[in-house]
Amino acid sequence: MVEKREHWGSRFGFILAASGSAVGLGNIWKYPHMAGSNGGAAFTMIYLLCIAVVGLPILIGEFVIGRKTQLSPVGAFEKLAQKSWWKYVGFLGVASAFVILSFYSVVGGWTLRYTFLALTTGFESFAGNPDIASDAFNSFVSNAWNPIFWHLIFMGLCIWIIVNGVKGGIERWSKVMMPMILVLLVILMVRGITLPGGMEGVKFLFLPKFSDLTASSVVLALGHAFFTLSLGMGTMITYGSYLGKDQNLVTSGILILVIDTIIALMAGVVIFTTVFALGADPGEGPGLIFTILPTIFPQMPGGHLWGTLFFFLLFLAALTSAISILEVVTAYFIDQKGWSRSRATYVFGSIIGIVGVFCSLSLGGFTDFSTVFNISFFNFLDYASSKYMLPIGGMLTAIFVLYRWGIPKFLEEIREGQKGKGLPDIVVKVLFSIAIVVVFFIIANEIVEVFTGSPLIG
Ligand code: PFF
């Protein structure tokens, strides 16, 4: 007898799980520093356009493919396009999940270690001294054992949640963690805005400075649209496969996009109000979180608490995303290979954990054998996945919907669970066509830059 597929317990649970996947390090770590160095609100406007025009059709496309087939990516493409090479798009997704989780969980480990550090020391020794904080950060990540220890704990938590299944693991914990993320953000935001000088940070983030916006900001915003919505590797196909026909996939997609965006904006407010109130440099870039904020918290009243809450928030956001990545790999072995959930999760969670160990070691602990094309293994996996694997996966998914599966069948599935007629065929065709052209352009731009040293634009 074929076992019935496990489904989400409620629409609310599904929305929280999917927005948990979307809300992650991309929102709290990447978006604020990207907006900070690319024209503030000017960047945000471009970014919103990108997620609405390119992100939303592909997000809904992934949900529809998943729900229609009730399978994870490889099986889904195989079922809709039998005896064709389309299943390799699904394999690309599983490979991307494997690659991304290997380095994502290393950073997840850093968030855990910084939460612990904030809790136990309040970052006292870093107060007002970015050089000390940055030396401490560099010596931590390049240490052989310390980051591996935290990475393995983080990976262990992911495995534990995924072993417990869709309803008992992912949904249950998303229902706990997502509200916590929101509450923490609101508390930290109120704290930031009420700091003397904090409003300067809000202005910095929300006043458009078009002079700081360059062509490369546009490319950056587009690339980030994929990462932040967890697109291009079948995560949302997998999550969609646990849905029933009664769900409205269009409103769910829009809701998830809105939650993801609001959380990114709130994180921006938290970070920049703090940075401005204490007179730190807002254009610091990627180091902002691990090297600048720890110097600021000990200088504010109650900083011990605020620092701990902030890094705990970052940890929760990383964990709700990481579990969705592990679920892609696990679901493949369950659906296609007939493995039990616990076997698939333990075996592949452990393998990814081991690859993550090498990622971490490549940052200084053991560089001799862990450099690929002259960059660390860690940076190589990050670069390969976010610049190529996710955009290519997303573009192929859109091409699949438009040319192979076909808009009429796609719309037939979308209309299940939807009241009213929904969008006309032609609008959907145009949206998918724009998404394909735009993504093709980003990938081409990157390839031209690799070969010629200068991009087409940017
Ligand atoms: N969306 C996550 C973030 O913004 O951090 C990252 C991510 C999760 C990417 C899941 C891809 C994915 F499948």
Side-chain angles (χ1 to χ4, degrees), residues 20-28 97 100 104 224 226-236 260 317-318 321-322 324-325 328 390:
S21 168
V23 171
L25 296 168
N27 302 61
I28 299 175
I100 293 183
Y104 204 88
H224 188 57
F226 269 93
F227 191 78
T228 192
L229 289 175
S230 310
L231 299 177
M233 50 172 257
T235 308
M236 296 306 187
D260 185 68
S321 296
S324 73
I325 311 178
V328 173
L390 294 188

Short mmCIF file of all heavy atoms in Angstrom, two decimals, residues 20-28 97 100 104 224 226-236 260 317-318 321-322 324-325 328 390, ligand 1:
data_model
loop_
_atom_site.label_atom_id
_atom_site.label_comp_id
_atom_site.label_asym_id
_atom_site.label_seq_id
_atom_site.Cartn_x
_atom_site.Cartn_y
_atom_site.Cartn_z
N GLY A 20 9.48 31.00 7.18
CA GLY A 20 10.68 30.68 7.97
C GLY A 20 11.84 30.33 7.06
O GLY A 20 12.99 30.68 7.32
N SER A 21 11.53 29.62 5.98
CA SER A 21 12.58 29.29 5.02
C SER A 21 13.12 30.57 4.37
O SER A 21 14.32 30.76 4.21
CB SER A 21 12.02 28.35 3.95
OG SER A 21 12.92 28.25 2.89
N ALA A 22 12.19 31.45 4.01
CA ALA A 22 12.60 32.69 3.32
C ALA A 22 13.38 33.62 4.26
O ALA A 22 14.40 34.18 3.89
CB ALA A 22 11.36 33.39 2.77
N VAL A 23 12.87 33.77 5.48
CA VAL A 23 13.53 34.68 6.43
C VAL A 23 14.76 34.00 7.02
O VAL A 23 14.65 32.98 7.69
CB VAL A 23 12.56 35.04 7.58
CG1 VAL A 23 13.29 35.80 8.67
CG2 VAL A 23 11.39 35.84 7.06
N GLY A 24 15.92 34.55 6.73
CA GLY A 24 17.13 33.91 7.25
C GLY A 24 18.27 34.90 7.30
O GLY A 24 18.06 36.11 7.43
N LEU A 25 19.48 34.36 7.18
CA LEU A 25 20.66 35.24 7.21
C LEU A 25 20.57 36.27 6.10
O LEU A 25 21.07 37.38 6.21
CB LEU A 25 21.92 34.38 7.02
CG LEU A 25 22.19 33.38 8.14
CD1 LEU A 25 23.28 32.40 7.72
CD2 LEU A 25 22.59 34.11 9.41
N GLY A 26 19.89 35.89 5.01
CA GLY A 26 19.73 36.82 3.88
C GLY A 26 19.01 38.10 4.30
O GLY A 26 19.34 39.19 3.85
N ASN A 27 18.02 37.99 5.17
CA ASN A 27 17.26 39.17 5.58
C ASN A 27 17.99 39.99 6.63
O ASN A 27 17.97 41.20 6.60
CB ASN A 27 15.92 38.75 6.23
CG ASN A 27 15.10 37.91 5.29
OD1 ASN A 27 15.54 36.84 4.88
ND2 ASN A 27 13.95 38.40 4.93
N ILE A 28 18.58 39.27 7.60
CA ILE A 28 19.07 40.00 8.77
C ILE A 28 20.53 40.39 8.61
O ILE A 28 20.99 41.39 9.11
CB ILE A 28 18.80 39.18 10.04
CG1 ILE A 28 17.27 39.00 10.11
CG2 ILE A 28 19.33 39.86 11.30
CD1 ILE A 28 16.78 38.14 11.20
N ALA A 97 21.03 22.34 -2.61
CA ALA A 97 20.69 22.27 -1.19
C ALA A 97 21.89 21.74 -0.41
O ALA A 97 22.27 22.27 0.64
CB ALA A 97 19.49 21.36 -0.99
N ILE A 100 24.59 24.52 -0.37
CA ILE A 100 24.27 25.69 0.45
C ILE A 100 24.30 25.36 1.94
O ILE A 100 24.87 26.09 2.74
CB ILE A 100 22.90 26.29 0.06
CG1 ILE A 100 22.99 26.86 -1.35
CG2 ILE A 100 22.46 27.38 1.04
CD1 ILE A 100 21.75 27.55 -1.84
N TYR A 104 26.05 27.29 4.98
CA TYR A 104 25.04 28.02 5.77
C TYR A 104 25.09 27.57 7.23
O TYR A 104 24.97 28.36 8.15
CB TYR A 104 23.67 27.73 5.17
CG TYR A 104 22.59 28.77 5.44
CD1 TYR A 104 22.42 29.87 4.61
CD2 TYR A 104 21.72 28.63 6.51
CE1 TYR A 104 21.42 30.80 4.84
CE2 TYR A 104 20.71 29.56 6.74
CZ TYR A 104 20.57 30.64 5.89
OH TYR A 104 19.57 31.56 6.12
N HIS A 224 19.85 38.77 -5.05
CA HIS A 224 19.38 38.59 -3.67
C HIS A 224 17.91 38.16 -3.62
O HIS A 224 17.50 37.46 -2.71
CB HIS A 224 19.60 39.88 -2.87
CG HIS A 224 19.31 39.70 -1.41
ND1 HIS A 224 19.97 38.75 -0.66
CD2 HIS A 224 18.42 40.30 -0.59
CE1 HIS A 224 19.50 38.80 0.57
NE2 HIS A 224 18.56 39.72 0.64
N PHE A 226 16.48 35.97 -5.32
CA PHE A 226 16.43 34.50 -5.33
C PHE A 226 16.76 33.92 -3.98
O PHE A 226 16.09 33.05 -3.46
CB PHE A 226 17.45 33.96 -6.33
CG PHE A 226 16.85 33.79 -7.66
CD1 PHE A 226 16.91 34.79 -8.60
CD2 PHE A 226 16.17 32.63 -7.96
CE1 PHE A 226 16.31 34.65 -9.82
CE2 PHE A 226 15.56 32.47 -9.17
CZ PHE A 226 15.63 33.49 -10.12
N PHE A 227 17.87 34.43 -3.44
CA PHE A 227 18.36 33.88 -2.19
C PHE A 227 17.34 34.10 -1.07
O PHE A 227 17.00 33.18 -0.33
CB PHE A 227 19.69 34.54 -1.85
CG PHE A 227 20.41 33.87 -0.72
CD1 PHE A 227 21.11 32.68 -0.94
CD2 PHE A 227 20.39 34.40 0.56
CE1 PHE A 227 21.76 32.05 0.10
CE2 PHE A 227 21.05 33.78 1.61
CZ PHE A 227 21.73 32.60 1.37
N THR A 228 16.83 35.32 -0.99
CA THR A 228 15.98 35.65 0.14
C THR A 228 14.64 34.90 0.09
O THR A 228 14.07 34.58 1.12
CB THR A 228 15.76 37.17 0.28
OG1 THR A 228 15.16 37.42 1.55
CG2 THR A 228 14.90 37.75 -0.81
N LEU A 229 14.16 34.60 -1.11
CA LEU A 229 12.89 33.86 -1.18
C LEU A 229 13.11 32.34 -1.26
O LEU A 229 12.18 31.59 -1.51
CB LEU A 229 12.07 34.34 -2.38
CG LEU A 229 11.48 35.75 -2.27
CD1 LEU A 229 10.79 36.15 -3.56
CD2 LEU A 229 10.48 35.85 -1.11
N SER A 230 14.34 31.91 -1.07
CA SER A 230 14.68 30.47 -1.13
C SER A 230 14.30 29.84 -2.46
O SER A 230 13.77 28.72 -2.49
CB SER A 230 13.99 29.67 -0.02
OG SER A 230 14.17 30.26 1.23
N LEU A 231 14.55 30.54 -3.56
CA LEU A 231 14.12 30.02 -4.85
C LEU A 231 15.25 29.34 -5.61
O LEU A 231 16.41 29.58 -5.35
CB LEU A 231 13.58 31.17 -5.72
CG LEU A 231 12.38 31.89 -5.13
CD1 LEU A 231 11.96 33.04 -6.03
CD2 LEU A 231 11.21 30.92 -4.96
N GLY A 232 14.87 28.52 -6.57
CA GLY A 232 15.84 27.98 -7.52
C GLY A 232 16.43 26.65 -7.12
O GLY A 232 17.29 26.11 -7.81
N MET A 233 16.03 26.09 -5.99
CA MET A 233 16.56 24.77 -5.64
C MET A 233 15.47 23.83 -5.13
O MET A 233 15.77 22.82 -4.51
CB MET A 233 17.68 24.87 -4.62
CG MET A 233 17.33 25.71 -3.43
SD MET A 233 18.60 25.57 -2.20
CE MET A 233 17.76 24.47 -1.08
N GLY A 234 14.25 24.19 -5.41
CA GLY A 234 13.18 23.25 -5.11
C GLY A 234 12.71 23.22 -3.67
O GLY A 234 11.92 22.36 -3.28
N THR A 235 13.17 24.18 -2.85
CA THR A 235 12.68 24.22 -1.47
C THR A 235 11.17 24.43 -1.46
O THR A 235 10.43 23.76 -0.74
CB THR A 235 13.33 25.39 -0.70
OG1 THR A 235 14.72 25.28 -0.87
CG2 THR A 235 12.97 25.36 0.76
N MET A 236 10.74 25.38 -2.29
CA MET A 236 9.33 25.70 -2.27
C MET A 236 8.51 24.64 -3.04
O MET A 236 7.32 24.49 -2.79
CB MET A 236 9.09 27.12 -2.81
CG MET A 236 9.72 28.20 -1.94
SD MET A 236 9.19 28.10 -0.19
CE MET A 236 9.91 29.59 0.50
N ASP A 260 8.54 38.23 4.31
CA ASP A 260 10.00 38.23 4.10
C ASP A 260 10.53 39.66 3.99
O ASP A 260 11.56 40.00 4.56
CB ASP A 260 10.31 37.43 2.83
CG ASP A 260 11.80 37.27 2.62
OD1 ASP A 260 12.42 36.57 3.43
OD2 ASP A 260 12.34 37.87 1.66
N ALA A 317 16.60 32.76 12.93
CA ALA A 317 16.34 32.98 11.51
C ALA A 317 17.16 31.99 10.67
O ALA A 317 16.66 31.41 9.70
CB ALA A 317 16.67 34.42 11.13
N ALA A 318 18.41 31.78 11.07
CA ALA A 318 19.27 30.84 10.32
C ALA A 318 18.71 29.43 10.42
O ALA A 318 18.68 28.67 9.43
CB ALA A 318 20.70 30.89 10.86
N SER A 321 15.63 28.59 8.24
CA SER A 321 16.00 28.43 6.82
C SER A 321 16.75 27.12 6.61
O SER A 321 16.50 26.39 5.65
CB SER A 321 16.90 29.58 6.35
OG SER A 321 16.20 30.77 6.41
N ALA A 322 17.69 26.84 7.51
CA ALA A 322 18.53 25.65 7.33
C ALA A 322 17.68 24.37 7.30
O ALA A 322 17.95 23.46 6.51
CB ALA A 322 19.56 25.59 8.45
N SER A 324 14.77 24.00 6.11
CA SER A 324 14.11 23.85 4.80
C SER A 324 15.10 23.34 3.76
O SER A 324 14.72 22.65 2.82
CB SER A 324 13.49 25.18 4.35
OG SER A 324 14.48 26.10 3.93
N ILE A 325 16.36 23.67 3.93
CA ILE A 325 17.37 23.21 2.98
C ILE A 325 17.60 21.71 3.17
O ILE A 325 17.66 20.94 2.22
CB ILE A 325 18.69 24.02 3.12
CG1 ILE A 325 18.40 25.53 3.13
CG2 ILE A 325 19.64 23.67 2.01
CD1 ILE A 325 19.62 26.43 3.30
N VAL A 328 14.97 19.43 1.63
CA VAL A 328 15.04 19.15 0.18
C VAL A 328 15.82 17.85 -0.06
O VAL A 328 15.41 16.98 -0.84
CB VAL A 328 15.72 20.32 -0.59
CG1 VAL A 328 15.96 19.97 -2.04
CG2 VAL A 328 14.86 21.58 -0.48
N LEU A 390 21.46 28.73 -7.96
CA LEU A 390 20.08 29.17 -7.69
C LEU A 390 19.46 29.90 -8.89
O LEU A 390 18.35 29.57 -9.32
CB LEU A 390 20.00 30.05 -6.44
CG LEU A 390 20.31 29.39 -5.10
CD1 LEU A 390 20.00 30.33 -3.95
CD2 LEU A 390 19.54 28.09 -4.93
N1 PFF B 1 16.17 32.39 2.20
C1 PFF B 1 17.28 32.13 3.08
C2 PFF B 1 17.83 33.46 3.59
O1 PFF B 1 17.37 34.53 3.19
O2 PFF B 1 18.76 33.40 4.39
C3 PFF B 1 18.36 31.32 2.44
C4 PFF B 1 17.89 30.11 1.67
C5 PFF B 1 17.08 29.15 2.29
C6 PFF B 1 18.23 29.97 0.36
C7 PFF B 1 16.61 28.07 1.58
C8 PFF B 1 17.77 28.90 -0.38
C9 PFF B 1 16.95 27.97 0.24
F1 PFF B 1 16.49 26.99 -0.43
#
